[in-house]
Amino acid sequence: MEVRRRAPPPPLPPPPGRVQAGDALPLPIRHTNLIFSALFAASLAYLMRRWREKIRSSTPLHVVGLAEMLAIFGLVASLIYLLSFFGIAFVQSIVSSSDDEEEDFLVGPARGSSAAAAVAPPPPPSSPAQCSLLGSPHDDAARERMPEEDEEIVSSVVAGKVPSYVLETKLGDCRRAAGIRREAVRRITGRQIEGLPLDGFDYASILGQCCELPVGYVQLPVGIAGPLLLDGQRFYVPMATTEGCLVASTNRGCKAIAESGGAVSVVLRDGMTRAPVARLPTARRAAELKAFLEDSVNFNTLSMVFNRSSRFARLQGVQCAMAGRNLYMRFSCCTGDAMGMNMVSKGVQNVLDYLQDDFPDMDVISISGNFCSDKKPAAVNWIEGRGKSVVCEAVIKEDVVKKVLKTNVQSLVELNVIKNLAGSAVAGALGGFNAHASNIVTAIFIATGQDPAQNVESSHCITMLEAVNDGRDLHISVTMPSIEVGTVGGGTQLASQAACLDLLGVKGANRESPGSNARLLATVVAGGVLAGELSLLSALAAGQLVKSHMKYNRSSKDMSKVIS
């Protein structure tokens, strides 16, 4: 099989005597197009320059003079003309070129003429895994023009004639593309991947969003811990994990919290960060830019430029650090119900473009200079926070500590000091003053479609235990300064993950109070960590950890033991 691209046929001339749209113009069509194109460019350039001057002088944008009114009129008129004369033809050319590409992909000897293909009846409806994002030119009619068997396509992929990444686009069937790619990988590697399931997944839902070059999907069990009584509400917490005892242990912690009256949470901060790095000619020049960014007088202008990236983005502050003549600028902004990395990155790019006029000698090295800091343990996240900063606390009654947790208050307090505080300090831990916060964070992240790699900073946690009420009861708290979660975008739109978010009542964006769903999810994560910390520390204090893992991680068929 051979892949080739056919040049499109030359356009047919209009029939003799047919009236054309350009005949009504006083000038030839090419001259008219040139005039309106120049008018559009000149009007746009003039308006952009005037608006930039108004922004710098704090002049309202709606105050316009005669010259600006003429420029706006010229911009609108030229835009209408250009869209009228080029818009429809451009869309038609795109559609026709897509059809030509489909015809030229995987051309075989059995294909008939283009005229015969045009009158051929359409095939039956395709499978549900069809790539809806690819549009109609790639669906049933396209497959009718590609009669070659999948075997030939696999051979072409193995031989390197057809890139694997174009299969979805060319075939228009995401399930079929994944199957062909999977078979090609099997032949190239010589490895059988029979245990990796292929069917039963909507591959169209991840196209261009979540995962490229799919060949199957990984199955993960999802357990439910709860009810978690948090801020007067009951939550059943989904946890995707392959670690035995984790869900059962968290469930025990939830029970102890519920029987003691529940937990309370507070969101201290809510702001995602991105920190580009720029190099200036000298350290003095870098210091000047630092002073400009941190000057409160300039904040309103910077925030207006930044906030153009989204209707939810709101710049909160800029923190700068220098290393020689390199300047690291840490922008923080609220991002609604999205986790917000893309949103804040677009806002930062807007500011960098704006700064380039006043600091033309600024050389932007990278949109991310690791001062953010994303997916890495960093003191700046531990101290300043990133995403949602949450504190969650509960008072566990003495009888619950003895009956449910099988230990006593004094043993728990002593263990926490020696293990979580002193032991982590001896290890030189950074944000790791806890028993196993990352266990719960990662399990909830995977179940709800978060970025699992962000468990690094999201698991920063300090667990505090102390005896209260004359030493009878236990006060426990977890402080987590950088929980990075969202309820829209990324993996949250997949069916399974969306179902877990819906179980918690935080699916999608909250239209009445933007950002409240993501903040609620962050408090649930902190509440789950509180339950997990309480249960594991109790197991350690009572000497039950090894015993429970040996008992329940040995393929026990008596599930009542695990639940109890």
Side-chain angles (χ1 to χ4, degrees):
M1 184 186 61
E2 180 180 2
V3 178
R4 64 184 180 89
R5 190 179 299 276
R6 184 183 63 191
L12 295 175
R18 182 179 176 180
V19 178
Q20 299 294 307
D23 295 342
L25 297 175
L27 294 176
I29 185 69
R30 61 180 182 274
H31 295 161
T32 307
N33 293 341
L34 183 60
I35 290 174
F36 275 96
S37 298
L39 178 62
F40 176 81
S43 301
L44 182 61
Y46 175 76
L47 290 174
M48 292 297 293
R49 183 170 62 84
R50 287 291 300 147
W51 289 341
R52 183 179 295 275
E53 292 174 356
K54 288 184 178 182
I55 292 175
R56 291 179 177 177
S57 60
S58 299
T59 304
L61 295 179
H62 63 272
V63 178
V64 295
L66 179 60
E68 290 173 301
M69 293 180 62
L70 292 175
I72 294 174
F73 177 78
L75 180 68
V76 174
S78 59
L79 183 61
I80 294 175
Y81 172 85
L82 294 175
L83 288 177
S84 301
F85 275 81
F86 294 109
I88 298 177
F90 176 75
V91 172
Q92 290 177 340
S93 66
I94 293 295
V95 174
S96 61
S97 63
S98 299
D99 291 338
D100 291 339
E101 290 180 1
E102 289 300 328
E103 290 183 4
D104 294 332
F105 179 70
L106 306 178
V107 178
R111 186 174 70 88
S113 65
S114 58
V119 299
S126 60
S127 63
Q130 175 184 329
C131 298
S132 59
L133 298 183
L134 296 179
S136 59
H138 302 274
D139 54 15
D140 302 332
R143 282 193 291 277
E144 179 70 15
R145 295 191 293 270
M146 294 185 299
E148 288 77 11
E149 296 295 332
D150 289 355
E151 173 66 28
E152 298 181 52
I153 308 176
V154 171
S155 301
S156 296
V157 173
V158 172
K161 297 179 180 179
V162 176
S164 176
Y165 59 82
V166 305
L167 291 177
E168 281 81 2
T169 302
K170 296 302 183 181
L171 298 178
D173 187 331
C174 294
R175 163 59 181 82
R176 184 183 176 197
I180 290 173
R181 183 181 296 110
R182 178 192 181 101
E183 177 62 18
V185 171
R186 187 192 68 80
R187 296 185 187 183
I188 293 173
T189 62
R191 301 285 184 179
Q192 300 293 332
I193 48 178
E194 297 176 353
L196 185 68
L198 177 64
D199 292 317
F201 186 81
D202 183 9
Y203 293 98
S205 65
I206 65 173
L207 182 65
Q209 299 184 78
C210 298
C211 181
E212 299 76 38
L213 308 175
V215 296
Y217 61 96
V218 174
Q219 296 171 309
L220 274 177
V222 177
I224 298 294
L228 171 64
L229 184 56
L230 177 64
D231 298 325
Q233 301 184 59
R234 293 180 180 271
F235 297 95
Y236 289 86
V237 185
M239 302 173 65
T241 181
T242 57
E243 179 181 350
C245 288
L246 178 60
V247 179
S249 177
T250 307
N251 191 67
R252 182 175 75 150
C254 292
K255 180 180 179 182
I257 293 172
E259 292 189 5
S260 298
V264 178
S265 66
V266 179
V267 178
L268 303 176
R269 286 187 298 267
D270 182 5
M272 182 51 63
T273 63
R274 174 59 86 196
V277 55
R279 182 171 55 207
L280 282 297
T282 63
R284 179 182 294 276
R285 186 63 171 158
E288 292 176 2
L289 177 55
K290 179 178 183 295
F292 178 87
L293 290 169
E294 294 181 342
D295 190 346
S296 59
V297 175
N298 301 320
F299 180 78
N300 288 337
T301 301
L302 293 176
S303 62
M304 184 170 59
V305 174
F306 184 98
N307 296 346
R308 289 203 304 258
S309 63
S310 169
R311 59 193 178 101
F312 297 109
R314 292 296 179 267
L315 182 65
Q316 297 172 334
V318 186
Q319 180 184 6
C320 298
M322 287 179 55
R325 61 191 183 112
N326 299 312
L327 182 65
Y328 299 82
M329 302 159 275
R330 192 173 191 260
F331 292 81
S332 176
C333 95
C334 58
T335 57
D337 285 305
M339 185 270 288
M341 286 299 302
N342 293 334
M343 191 183 302
V344 69
S345 296
K346 289 190 293 185
V348 168
Q349 188 62 57
N350 289 344
V351 174
L352 292 176
D353 295 340
Y354 171 78
L355 292 174
Q356 203 76 56
D357 290 335
D358 291 326
F359 295 87
D361 51 354
M362 178 183 68
D363 181 17
V364 178
I365 303 300
S366 173
I367 190 68
S368 174
N370 276 12
F371 186 42
C372 311
S373 174
D374 187 42
K375 302 175 183 176
K376 292 166 283 291
V380 67
N381 292 337
W382 175 241
I383 298 171
E384 298 292 337
R386 188 171 195 255
K388 278 72 175 170
S389 299
V390 183
V391 177
C392 189
E393 64 178 349
V395 175
I396 310 302
K397 298 178 180 179
E398 181 182 24
D399 60 331
V400 175
V401 173
K402 294 179 179 179
K403 182 181 66 175
V404 178
L405 302 178
K406 313 298 183 184
T407 184
N408 59 78
V409 173
Q410 293 304 322
S411 297
L412 286 172
V413 173
E414 181 182 34
L415 174 64
N416 185 68
V417 172
I418 297 176
K419 169 184 166 62
N420 287 346
L421 303 184
S424 296
V426 170
L430 178 61
F433 299 91
N434 57 80
H436 71 150
S438 64
N439 245 341
I440 291 86
V441 170
T442 306
I444 299 177
F445 270 31
I446 296 175
T448 58
Q450 311 304 313
D451 188 341
Q454 289 184 323
N455 79 86
V456 176
E457 61 267 40
S458 296
S459 298
H460 282 183
C461 171
I462 182 168
T463 301
M464 302 291 293
L465 275 71
E466 56 182 307
V468 295
N469 300 330
D470 298 327
R472 295 190 306 271
D473 300 332
L474 175 72
H475 180 276
I476 178 172
S477 67
V478 292
T479 304
M480 306 180 69
S482 52
I483 302 178
E484 300 167 356
V485 293
T487 58
V488 296
T492 64
Q493 49 87 31
L494 298 179
S496 301
Q497 288 80 346
C500 291
L501 289 171
D502 192 38
L503 176 65
L504 293 171
V506 296
K507 177 183 175 182
N510 191 312
R511 300 185 182 277
E512 297 179 357
S513 178
S516 59
N517 280 359
R519 287 190 291 271
L520 181 56
L521 177 58
T523 63
V524 170
V525 172
V529 170
L530 185 75
E533 291 286 282
L534 181 63
S535 183
L536 177 57
L537 289 172
S538 300
L540 291 170
Q544 299 172 340
L545 180 67
V546 175
K547 180 181 178 181
S548 61
H549 274 271
M550 294 298 292
K551 182 176 182 180
Y552 300 131
N553 285 14
R554 296 282 180 166
S555 301
S556 173
K557 303 300 182 183
D558 188 356
M559 296 310 298
S560 62
K561 295 180 180 179
V562 180
I563 296 174
S564 64

